[in-house]
Amino acid sequence: MLLSLKWKAVVFLSLVLIIVTGAWVIQQINQTVTNYENRLAEDDTRQQLILDQLLDDNFLRLSQLAQLITETPGIQKASGLGARSGLPQDLEKQWVLLNISTGIDYIALYSMNREPMGNAFNQTLFRSPESIQVAVTDALETNDPAEPQSFIYCGFGCSQFVIEPFVLANGAEALIVVAQSIADVIQRFQQLSGDDLAVLLPWAPEADQIPGEDRILKNWESRLWAASQFKDTRALLSYAENVHPLDKLDSEDALAFSNQKLSFNFLSLNYNQSGGPTPHLVTVSDETRHYDTMVSSLTTSLLTGLLALLASEIALILLTLGPLKRVVSVVDALNLLPQHEYKRALSVIERNSSSLFPDELSLLEESTRFVTRELQALHIEVGEKNRSLQDQIAIISRSRAFLERLIDSSHLFIVIQTFDCEILSRNSKFKKDFSRPVRSFNDFFASQKSLGQYLQRLSELKNNMRDVLQFDSEFVSDQGGTIYLDWTCCIVEDERGQRVILTTGIDLTQRKRDEEALEWLAHNDPLTGIGNRRSFQNDLGKVLDLECEGAIVFIDVDRFKQINDLYGHTVGDQALIQIADSLRKSVRSSDSISRLAGDEFTIVLPDMHRAKLPGFLAKLSGLLNGQLLIPAEGRTIEYNVSVGAALIPEHGATEQELIVHADMAMYQAKKKGGGQWQIYDPSSGDLADLRRDHNLSSLLRHALNSQDFLELNFQPILSIEHQTVSHYEVLLRLRNFDGEPVFPNDFIPAAERMGLIQLIDDWVLERVMQRMASDRYSGHSYSLSVNISAPTLQSPDFPARVTELLQSYAVDPASLVIELTETAYIENFQMVLKNLQDLSNNGVMVALDDFGVGFSSFSYLKKLPLSYVKLDGSYIRGLEDSPDNQVFVESLTRMVSAFGMETIAEFVEDAQTLAKLEELGVAYAQGYFIGKPTPQLEDMLAENKPALC
């Protein structure tokens, strides 16, 4: 049976009225008290807002005054710390006027480095200038001096300071500081709020801080500095200090004073406070009328509702507990729905829904359960769709971010523009190189011509006459330079579906510069800046094509390798540059100069007649023979050049002929000595010598790569005392392509001139090592003496190469003798000495050939690590018939023995000479009588003795 709530309402109506009445009474009481408390809080907030606004207004006013003050001539003429002498007097004059007109109590100037420049202030209010300066400095260090700022400073009184940056007349930046007492703020506060405001400062017994005993509040250890309605406020505070402590004054109830109810409130200074004591700002409000009204309302409400509340309380609890509990459950469940707590909402309804008689609450509970289940299902569905949507958004966001990063990190210039060439967007690279504020793509073109071509072709792209537009252009950078770009344009749709132009560009500037540099390098020498071999060939070809008279000149620096070796390549390069500069000054505008390679220069002289050429060459030779300063050594070196020339077409009608003949003329000039010149002479035999050297060079190069042309011969060296072979000298033999022998006196000098001698030395050393290693395995042990040329002896890696070969073929170093000729041209004797000492330390023996010829033999004996000294053959031939040679050989032998060395006599041709050598004390003999050179070493090894002739 359904029992309607209206019957329940009739039954409990009286109880409900009682409840409503009681609730109303309680509400009225609470409302009355709350209104009173809220009004007090609003008064406190209102008072604080009024104070803050008054200080802000005062800050703005002081800031404006500061800006006006800085415009005065006396301040504008200040120039940093140098103006201190006159600035304080100017400020004192300014302050007196400002104090009278605006009430300014303090004015000062500071530099941007926080150094004081001058000040003027009220001596009564600011009794400690040092404290004020410290406060200003602290404020500047705490905050940015470039921004206006304000703070409160309290000393004898409280003042508001404003710091304003400004610019002096000379362009320098400075700071102005102005201050004013906040006494005017206190008076305006009373006028606006209707409440009194007092400022309390900590009290100290010093006399300078006590203006009168009527200001001292001893119980609070404070001094009343300023107050609105000062006399009444002072009397009220004197009474209050005997009733409440200062720190509890604003938390106590209204204070009764002469039939008045007064409330106190502490206000905050919401401004930075720099230095000085902390003040207490106390407001005094008359709450008598509001307090009495609140007490009356409370009394009436309590008396009215007390009886009704007591009568209906029990019935209310008994009759409405159940239905109210069910209603609360439904409300709790509904409150849980916005939080998506569906399961918890269902449990709350089920827990409190028991009822014997179904009613409207039952229907409400059922409806609530239904709505809860539907919302739960809908929430699950929405969650799934939301997750799917979030996944799609994340994918789109990542794709967009990827594209943005790709575009911004690209090395291409990317611009989106409209059909009117207005730039819509551009990537980071374009913004970096073209950051100036330009809206049109057309404004970047360097020339109107290229812009016109671009616009003409762009119209074809707009009219669908082409799909892609590609063009090269020159753009002007932000620095005014020219950038070469290759652009590609196509039409795309933006996010809104509108057609725009996508423009991508590639920077070709560096490539252009590289092409220009390569073009220059293709025709010029990078060291001297003059033409190179290609330029020379082009210039000579032009003269030959014109079939006119002329000449070519070849120039070579004498002993240039020696300059590089002794002083370094840097000095050599400076000599080449100096020669190139001299050539530029020596030739006509129609002539061309070039550097072929190394230290070789050429000049092509069109329209040069034979009669004028000698004078030109003589003058040129004198100009090119010069000096070069070496700063590191503080001295100069001299250099000379050899100049050769060939006439066109007298000495050749082709490039090759002229080059060969000019080179031959230069070679002829070198034979004359350093610093000479020569015109090619066809009657000279130098060309034949050059061809012979060329043929020998070709033969030697071929022989070094073949086994059929070079051959090792071995000549025994006899120990005279033991009449046995001590060791063998290795001699190199060469045959030409026809099988005919080529004498060493011919091919060895040619190899030195052609730079092949070191290759030959290395070839001989390796074949010697191979032969010694092979014969050792056959049971033969012997020593070999190998002749080494001067260039090889001067090579820094010569000892390492010999050691490498000895180790590779497992040859005993003591079985190898390195032989050098005394007459060899040695440029770097110290390197030769070091190399031979290294080899000697490793066990290799050293022999000196042709001893006795030349003046350096005896110095070699003292310095070189020699084991053998070969006496020159000129002293051995005819020894029997030459007493002078006998004396000389005997003396040399004794001297060599004194150094711990042994002598070897060359060119021993008969038994009488051998016997005389033994008589004179010579240790070893070599010659045709001992044995002739032969490639058949194994035959001599089998006999182990010389075949005496």
Side-chain angles (χ1 to χ4, degrees):
M1 182 181 68
L2 179 64
L3 182 61
S4 176
L5 285 177
K6 65 180 179 180
W7 297 110
K8 295 178 181 178
V10 172
V11 173
F12 301 114
L13 180 59
S14 57
L15 296 177
V16 171
L17 291 174
I18 294 173
I19 294 172
V20 170
T21 302
W24 178 84
V25 171
I26 295 173
Q27 181 200 12
Q28 289 299 316
I29 294 173
N30 290 335
Q31 186 67 33
T32 301
V33 175
T34 301
N35 288 342
Y36 180 77
E37 293 176 350
N38 289 341
R39 197 198 63 79
L40 291 178
E42 290 173 359
D43 285 344
D44 295 345
T45 302
R46 178 180 58 83
Q47 292 172 353
Q48 185 65 55
L49 290 175
I50 291 173
L51 178 62
D52 292 343
Q53 186 62 46
L54 289 173
L55 290 176
D56 288 342
D57 293 343
N58 200 49
F59 166 52
L60 181 60
R61 187 179 68 86
L62 291 176
S63 176
Q64 294 173 345
L65 286 174
Q67 294 176 11
L68 293 175
I69 294 170
T70 59
E71 298 298 325
T72 60
I75 292 178
Q76 281 292 310
K77 292 179 180 179
S79 57
L81 298 178
R84 282 186 172 180
S85 58
L87 185 61
Q89 293 80 0
D90 294 338
L91 290 177
E92 188 68 27
K93 296 177 181 179
Q94 292 288 339
W95 173 79
V96 171
L97 298 176
L98 291 170
N99 182 259
I100 295 173
S101 60
T102 62
I104 294 297
D105 297 313
Y106 181 89
I107 181 171
L109 292 183
Y110 283 76
S111 69
M112 293 304 291
N113 296 329
R114 306 178 181 91
E115 295 181 358
M117 298 169 61
N119 57 39
F121 51 88
N122 187 326
Q123 300 290 340
T124 302
L125 184 60
F126 302 109
R127 301 186 178 185
S128 177
E130 295 79 9
S131 300
I132 300 174
Q133 184 169 330
V134 170
V136 173
T137 304
D138 291 342
L140 290 174
E141 292 177 350
T142 304
N143 303 296
D144 183 7
E147 297 291 333
Q149 50 187 290
S150 177
F151 64 92
I152 301 297
Y153 172 80
C154 292
F156 176 76
C158 292
S159 300
Q160 185 173 10
F161 281 72
V162 171
I163 303 175
E164 185 75 17
F166 71 100
V167 179
L168 295 169
N170 61 359
E173 293 184 338
L175 301 171
I176 184 171
V177 182
V178 298
Q180 186 180 39
S181 170
I182 63 172
D184 292 339
V185 173
I186 296 173
Q187 296 301 325
R188 289 198 297 272
F189 177 87
Q190 197 276 336
Q191 295 170 2
L192 292 174
S193 64
D195 302 321
D196 293 324
L197 175 63
V199 178
L200 304 180
L201 293 173
W203 170 66
E206 288 83 0
D208 60 339
Q209 292 189 6
I210 304 176
E213 290 297 328
D214 56 338
R215 293 176 177 265
I216 305 305
L217 304 174
K218 294 184 178 180
N219 291 341
W220 288 347
E221 297 182 353
S222 299
R223 173 172 58 89
L224 178 62
W225 171 67
S228 59
Q229 302 186 64
F230 182 85
K231 183 176 181 181
D232 295 337
T233 304
R234 181 188 60 77
L236 176 61
L237 293 177
S238 298
Y239 175 78
E241 74 169 326
N242 297 318
V243 179
H244 299 298
L246 179 62
D247 58 343
K248 301 293 184 180
L249 184 62
D250 63 336
S251 62
E252 299 295 337
D253 295 334
L255 178 67
F257 178 76
S258 298
N259 300 323
Q260 291 180 317
K261 291 291 184 178
L262 305 175
S263 67
F264 299 88
N265 178 40
F266 284 121
L267 299 183
S268 300
L269 282 174
N270 294 327
Y271 265 73
N272 295 329
Q273 186 175 355
S274 180
T278 301
H280 293 285
L281 276 71
V282 182
T283 62
V284 182
S285 302
D286 186 358
E287 297 295 332
T288 304
R289 182 173 60 84
H290 298 289
Y291 184 85
D292 293 341
T293 301
M294 180 193 68
V295 172
S296 176
S297 298
L298 290 176
T299 303
T300 302
S301 299
L302 287 173
L303 293 176
T304 303
L306 183 59
L307 294 176
L309 180 61
L310 292 175
S312 60
E313 185 68 22
I314 297 175
L316 177 62
I317 294 173
L318 294 177
L319 296 177
T320 62
L321 183 60
L324 287 176
K325 188 175 182 180
R326 294 170 63 191
V327 172
V328 170
S329 297
V330 172
V331 173
D332 290 342
L334 293 175
N335 287 332
L336 291 173
L337 295 182
Q339 305 174 21
H340 308 300
E341 298 284 347
Y342 302 109
K343 291 183 179 180
R344 186 178 169 189
L346 291 173
S347 64
V348 168
I349 296 173
E350 295 294 340
R351 185 173 63 247
N352 298 311
S353 63
S354 59
S355 177
L356 296 176
F357 304 100
D359 53 14
E360 288 84 350
L361 285 178
S362 300
L363 297 176
L364 180 60
E365 291 169 346
E366 184 63 31
S367 299
T368 303
R369 282 192 289 269
F370 175 78
V371 171
T372 301
R373 294 189 186 97
E374 290 295 320
L375 287 176
Q376 185 179 17
L378 184 60
H379 179 72
I380 294 172
E381 182 180 357
V382 170
E384 292 176 352
K385 293 184 177 180
N386 186 53
R387 284 191 294 273
S388 176
L389 182 60
Q390 290 295 330
D391 293 340
Q392 295 178 9
I393 293 174
I395 292 173
I396 295 173
S397 299
R398 286 194 297 270
S399 300
R400 184 183 183 90
F402 171 77
L403 290 175
E404 290 177 351
R405 288 195 301 270
L406 181 63
I407 291 173
D408 284 338
S409 61
S410 173
H411 292 288
L412 301 176
F413 295 98
I414 301 177
V415 179
I416 303 296
Q417 57 176 314
T418 65
F419 284 95
D420 296 330
C421 300
E422 180 183 354
I423 297 176
L424 300 176
S425 64
R426 48 189 174 173
N427 68 340
S428 299
K429 181 172 180 57
F430 192 92
K431 293 178 182 178
K432 179 182 178 181
D433 290 2
F434 304 100
S435 59
R436 59 183 185 272
V438 176
R439 298 188 61 184
S440 177
F441 186 76
N442 299 342
D443 295 336
F444 293 103
F445 282 84
S447 65
Q448 291 296 324
K449 180 180 179 181
S450 58
L451 174 59
Q453 293 175 349
Y454 162 68
L455 294 176
Q456 180 180 359
R457 300 175 67 184
L458 182 63
S459 63
E460 298 176 0
L461 182 67
K462 296 177 183 178
N463 297 326
N464 299 323
M465 298 174 63
R466 62 168 70 211
D467 295 330
V468 177
L469 168 60
Q470 187 170 5
F471 65 97
D472 293 342
S473 64
E474 299 176 5
F475 272 30
V476 179
S477 66
D478 293 342
Q479 293 74 29
T482 301
I483 299 179
Y484 298 91
L485 298 166
D486 179 26
W487 292 102
T488 301
C489 300
C490 63
I491 298 177
V492 297
E493 290 186 355
D494 62 7
E495 296 176 349
R496 295 172 295 180
Q498 297 182 2
R499 287 165 41 117
V500 293
I501 300 175
L502 172 63
T503 309
T504 58
I506 301 175
D507 191 349
L508 303 179
T509 305
Q510 189 59 44
R511 190 175 77 181
K512 288 277 189 181
R513 292 173 181 169
D514 293 342
E515 290 174 353
E516 293 173 356
L518 289 175
E519 178 68 20
W520 186 88
L521 289 174
H523 296 87
N524 293 274
D525 173 46
L527 175 63
T528 61
I530 63 177
N532 58 8
R533 181 178 293 273
R534 176 180 291 184
S535 176
F536 163 71
Q537 292 173 343
N538 292 339
D539 295 336
L540 180 56
K542 292 177 181 177
V543 175
L544 293 176
D545 292 340
L546 294 174
E547 298 181 355
C548 62
E549 291 185 352
I552 65 169
V553 180
F554 265 43
I555 303 167
D556 185 81
V557 183
D558 299 328
R559 299 185 305 280
F560 184 70
K561 182 178 184 301
Q562 185 177 3
I563 294 176
N564 276 337
D565 293 342
L566 293 178
Y567 306 105
H569 288 277
T570 301
V571 175
D573 290 345
Q574 289 298 320
L576 296 176
I577 294 172
Q578 189 165 304
I579 290 172
D581 292 340
S582 298
L583 286 174
R584 289 191 187 95
K585 300 173 183 178
S586 305
V587 299
R588 303 167 299 178
S589 59
S590 59
D591 303 335
S592 60
I593 56 176
S594 306
R595 179 188 175 206
L596 292 190
D599 58 340
E600 296 180 353
F601 296 85
T602 63
I603 308 176
V604 178
L605 303 170
D607 298 325
M608 175 61 72
H609 303 290
R610 182 182 183 88
K612 297 181 180 179
L613 185 57
F616 174 80
L617 294 179
K619 179 180 178 182
L620 181 67
S621 179
L623 289 173
L624 296 184
N625 296 327
Q627 294 181 340
L628 189 66
L629 175 65
I630 305 177
E633 300 184 12
R635 64 189 184 92
T636 59
I637 62 169
E638 296 183 355
Y639 60 85
N640 299 318
V641 298
S642 297
V643 181
L647 289 165
I648 305 172
E650 180 180 343
H651 296 150
T654 65
E655 177 183 328
Q656 185 62 31
E657 288 178 336
L658 290 169
I659 291 175
V660 170
H661 293 161
D663 191 51
M664 286 302 304
M666 184 265 295
Y667 180 71
Q668 292 169 353
K670 278 188 177 291
K671 287 184 176 181
K672 297 180 181 180
Q676 301 298 320
W677 59 272
Q678 178 68 43
I679 300 175
Y680 173 67
D681 183 5
S683 63
S684 172
D686 290 336
L687 183 58
D689 294 339
L690 180 62
R691 288 173 178 169
R692 184 170 58 254
D693 282 352
H694 176 74
N695 293 334
L696 284 174
S697 175
S698 300
L699 175 61
L700 287 172
R701 292 181 188 278
H702 185 76
L704 289 171
N705 296 317
S706 176
Q707 303 294 331
D708 302 329
F709 298 91
L710 287 173
E711 182 181 62
L712 297 181
N713 284 4
F714 305 91
Q715 185 175 24
I717 299 176
L718 177 70
S719 173
I720 298 177
E721 179 182 358
H722 300 95
Q723 288 297 302
T724 58
V725 174
S726 169
H727 56 284
Y728 302 88
E729 181 178 3
V730 179
L731 302 173
L732 185 63
R733 297 293 181 261
L734 173 67
R735 294 185 180 275
N736 61 22
F737 294 103
D738 297 328
E740 298 175 351
V742 181
F743 296 104
N745 290 338
D746 292 330
F747 74 80
I748 293 298
E752 291 178 348
R753 289 193 297 271
M754 299 299 176
L756 298 176
I757 192 64
Q758 289 183 265
L759 296 176
I760 293 176
D761 288 341
D762 190 72
W763 187 92
V764 171
L765 278 171
E766 186 161 9
R767 296 305 182 278
V768 166
M769 300 294 181
Q770 291 176 353
R771 182 63 181 266
M772 294 175 71
S774 175
D775 290 345
R776 185 179 69 252
Y777 290 128
S778 301
H780 299 293
S781 179
Y782 53 85
S783 298
L784 294 180
S785 178
V786 182
N787 289 280
I788 300 299
S789 67
T792 301
L793 288 172
Q794 296 176 104
S795 176
D797 58 352
F798 175 61
R801 176 57 177 163
V802 174
T803 304
E804 178 188 356
L805 290 172
L806 290 170
Q807 294 175 352
S808 176
Y809 292 100
V811 174
D812 183 8
S815 64
L816 177 65
V817 181
I818 297 297
E819 185 172 329
L820 69 155
T821 60
E822 183 272 333
T823 56
Y825 178 70
I826 298 175
E827 295 178 345
N828 191 348
F829 179 76
Q830 293 300 322
M831 179 58 71
V832 173
L833 178 61
K834 177 182 180 301
N835 290 342
L836 293 179
Q837 286 176 341
D838 291 343
L839 291 174
S840 179
N841 294 336
N842 290 333
V844 177
M845 307 185 78
V846 182
L848 177 63
D849 197 7
D850 297 335
F851 183 74
V853 179
F855 298 99
S856 59
S857 302
F858 297 101
S859 64
Y860 286 167
L861 286 179
K862 293 189 295 182
K863 296 180 180 179
L864 294 174
L866 301 175
S867 299
Y868 302 104
V869 176
K870 280 190 172 185
L871 301 176
D872 188 73
S874 62
Y875 300 110
I876 307 302
R877 293 189 185 96
L879 184 64
E880 281 289 318
D881 302 326
S882 177
D884 292 338
N885 285 350
Q886 293 176 18
V887 173
F888 191 75
V889 169
E890 185 178 10
S891 300
L892 288 178
T893 301
R894 290 179 180 178
M895 182 182 64
V896 169
S897 299
F899 284 107
M901 308 167 190
E902 295 180 301
T903 53
I904 301 174
E906 297 181 308
F907 294 97
V908 178
E909 307 294 342
D910 50 45
Q912 292 79 7
T913 303
L914 181 62
K916 179 56 71 174
L917 290 173
E918 184 177 8
E919 179 184 340
L920 297 175
V922 177
Y924 299 94
Q926 179 183 1
Y928 279 7
F929 181 73
I930 307 301
K932 295 181 180 181
T934 176
Q936 305 303 325
L937 178 61
E938 59 273 6
D939 294 340
M940 289 187 289
L941 292 174
E943 298 178 3
N944 196 23
K945 63 180 179 179
L948 298 178
C949 299

